[in-house]
Amino acid sequence: MKLDDRLQALADFVPSGSRVADIGTDHGYLAVALVESGKASFVVASDLNRGPCEAAKRTVAEAGLAWGIDVRQGDGLAPLAPGEVDVLCIAGMGGALMTQILAAGAAVLEKVQRLVLQPMNGAGKLRRWLYENGWHIDDERLAVADGRLYEILTAVPGYAPMPEAVLLDIGPILWEKKPPLLRQHIEALLFSARREAAGMENSEQAVKSEKYRQVRARIEALEAHRKS
């Protein structure tokens, strides 16, 4: 199974021999690649909706991997039993939804050794939730697929000091490693923050709000890091 750069980055963060849950599996491509490569000894590929589950079952059957991949329909971590998997992969959804899924599946999460996450947005809030709930970022990567820039991060259990707010947005490991795509990543964050500020500037009341002050402070911090 040939993966695009986004899914390959997720696969690269999975330790060899892991038991994996691919939450929001869609067509099951990541699950198949993990088992084919030996990265995963077993995968639960789950999705909330029937359509993706049926598509994943076809992908798994065509690859002849039904022995190693169990496709299940269900919401978040509900299809999993505590201790059934070592690694959770969640991709292709917003960071806020990811935090809801992780919080709702506390019994399953307690037994997990690694999270591999690809938030479509809200990565800063996701990182904050991880640090506040007994996890910390172990590694991060940027990838481009179909012309879009993606953040992929992996977290492990254990408390660590909370990074400053701007690094929660940028990614503390990304800032430390400074990959070639980092400037593009910061520019994208700045574009989003400036658009939010511009929307608020149409209202005198909004401009006087604490939220507007926070957005402006975020813009200033991102601009300073872009120049660093």
Side-chain angles (χ1 to χ4, degrees), residues 13 119 122-132 135-142 151-156 160-179 182 185-186 189 222 225:
F13 279 151
K125 292 179 180 179
L126 174 60
R127 291 186 181 97
R128 180 176 294 279
W129 186 93
L130 292 169
Y131 278 90
E132 289 175 343
W135 294 79
H136 62 274
I137 307 301
D138 185 52
D139 203 354
E140 296 176 305
R141 185 177 299 180
L142 296 170
E151 300 172 70
I152 302 93
L153 60 94
T154 179
V156 294
M162 177 77 71
E164 60 179 302
V166 69
L167 294 186
L168 289 174
D169 284 332
I170 294 171
I173 307 298
L174 291 175
W175 180 249
E176 179 183 320
K177 295 169 71 173
K178 292 186 172 51
L182 181 64
H185 172 49
I186 295 175
L189 292 171
L222 286 168
H225 279 71

Side-chain angles (χ1 to χ4, degrees), residues 189-203 206-207 209 211-220:
L189 292 171
L190 268 169
F191 177 83
S192 177
R194 286 169 176 158
R195 184 173 57 184
E196 184 177 3
M200 298 177 73
E201 286 161 2
N202 294 323
S203 164
V207 169
S209 69
K211 183 176 180 181
Y212 180 75
R213 188 196 67 77
Q214 292 173 354
V215 173
R216 290 303 315 174
R218 182 169 178 246
I219 291 170
E220 291 174 9

